[in-house]
Amino acid sequence: MPEFIDKDGNVLGTTGTTADTLGLSTTNTESTAPLEAEIANGKIADIKAVGVSQVDRTDPA
């Protein structure tokens, strides 16, 4: 689950995303456009980074 982070490392809010067919030890770079409703602690303008706090994996077989 991506977290929106401010300059001090505080989490401003979170959002959900998916990455299909992403294998082990691989990365995926995407852009994100947060909504005001996803920011619980601050403003969109306060976002300095986006980090991933949780990953759920499913087996496509």
Side-chain angles (χ1 to χ4, degrees), residues 1 17-28 52-61:
M1 176 169 294
T17 189
T18 60
D20 296 330
T21 64
L22 188 62
L24 288 173
S25 300
T26 60
T27 60
N28 187 16
V52 177
S53 62
Q54 175 183 340
V55 175
D56 295 323
R57 181 178 297 189
T58 60
D59 184 0

Side-chain angles (χ1 to χ4, degrees), residues 2-51:
E3 295 178 326
F4 302 112
I5 302 166
D6 70 9
K7 66 179 178 68
D8 297 321
N10 300 311
V11 176
L12 302 174
T14 61
T15 190
T17 189
T18 60
D20 296 330
T21 64
L22 188 62
L24 288 173
S25 300
T26 60
T27 60
N28 187 16
T29 302
E30 296 184 26
S31 61
T32 183
L35 303 174
E36 287 288 342
E38 296 170 324
I39 307 301
N41 304 311
K43 303 175 288 195
I44 287 179
D46 296 333
I47 297 171
K48 298 300 178 200
V50 178

